[in-house]
Amino acid sequence: MELRKYQRLSFDVYFSPDVPTALVLDLQGHVQAVRVQLTQRLGVEDRTIPDLYVMGSLKAFGAAGATSGLRVTIESGFFAPGGNAPGIYLLANKPIPELKKTLTHEYTHLLVEEGAGTSLLPAWFNEGTATYYENVIGLTSSNPDVARNLDLLPL
Amino acid sequence: MVLASTLMPLPTLESQRDWNAQRDPLKASQIYSVGFMAIHYLVTTYGEQSVGTLIQ
């Protein structure tokens, strides 16, 4: 699979040719923003900043999932903690706010898994934390009122 | 669509393998909502630092 690479000092972004560079830059900036917010909110810092893989098609995303041992069906993003290419993988087929929510969700998984170490946390905690911060942080830049009115979110 | 009396208790949502195996979008949405509500309860009751403490 051919991927372009946008190199940063702290982490790299790999993206398929059909992904606009402007989107890559936007998502790269969002990673930094999420790191700062989660560190402040939780008092937990990451040890590593994951590389980011952004795929423009389901086919490319599925192929990336397969290399990480994941059969992608309903996912729009996943975090691969190990393997040949550890990092956060995104399928860039949604509006930018949705992509940022997914990126926040997967980055939170990284933080939870690094913090927990070898301890097994229940899935509801791991996924619930990622979903909570996906909504709190992912939306703060586009619709702050939603983040302030979490009590009103329906099931 | 409204599903009545179908919320899963947290002890039934502990396995990450089972969680990842959920392929039904509606059921997946439902269990993510349960996880969200559990963390929302923790945050509103004990503060965000409680989540950080549990992570560490």
Side-chain angles (χ1 to χ4, degrees):
Chain A
M1 183 189 325
E2 179 193 348
L3 293 176
R4 296 174 179 170
K5 179 179 179 181
Y6 177 65
Q7 194 163 4
R8 298 287 296 174
L9 289 177
S10 49
F11 69 101
D12 296 328
V13 184
Y14 298 87
F15 55 106
S16 56
D18 51 352
V19 174
T21 305
L23 173 61
V24 171
L25 294 173
D26 200 7
L27 294 175
Q28 179 270 328
H30 187 66
V31 171
Q32 301 289 11
V34 169
R35 291 185 70 220
V36 170
Q37 283 216 38
L38 284 179
T39 298
Q40 290 173 347
R41 288 170 174 274
L42 298 173
V44 179
E45 288 188 54
D46 56 24
R47 290 193 293 270
T48 58
I49 306 176
D51 285 336
L52 183 60
Y53 296 82
V54 187
M55 310 300 176
S57 70
L58 186 58
K59 181 180 178 183
F61 186 63
T67 61
S68 300
L70 178 69
R71 187 173 64 87
V72 175
T73 54
I74 61 175
E75 294 86 355
S76 57
F78 64 88
F79 167 57
N84 292 330
I88 292 175
Y89 290 74
L90 292 180
L91 173 58
N93 67 343
K94 294 181 177 177
I96 291 177
E98 289 298 312
L99 290 177
K100 288 182 176 179
K101 285 179 67 176
T102 304
L103 179 51
T104 304
H105 184 106
E106 301 305 334
Y107 180 82
T108 307
H109 279 317
L110 163 89
L111 207 59
V112 170
E113 292 189 21
E114 275 192 356
T118 55
S119 304
L120 275 181
L121 289 172
W124 66 261
F125 180 83
N126 186 17
E127 298 294 347
T129 302
T131 305
Y132 180 82
Y133 285 104
E134 161 193 330
N135 283 285
V136 171
I137 294 177
L139 290 178
T140 47
S141 60
S142 58
N143 190 350
D145 287 336
V146 174
R148 282 198 290 266
N149 293 305
L150 289 175
D151 286 330
L152 301 178
L153 282 181
L155 252 186
Chain B
M1 177 185 295
V2 176
L3 300 177
S5 303
T6 52
L7 282 183
M8 290 74 73
L10 291 180
T12 66
L13 299 174
E14 292 196 349
S15 165
Q16 191 70 52
R17 182 187 296 266
D18 291 348
W19 189 292
N20 294 342
Q22 181 55 259
R23 301 286 96 178
D24 181 328
L26 184 60
K27 290 180 180 174
S29 175
Q30 194 177 26
I31 61 176
Y32 276 99
S33 294
V34 170
F36 170 89
M37 288 190 293
I39 300 304
H40 183 46
Y41 173 80
L42 281 176
V43 169
T44 54
T45 306
Y46 303 105
E48 282 190 291
Q49 293 293 321
S50 68
V51 178
T53 300
L54 289 171
I55 289 173
Q56 298 175 86

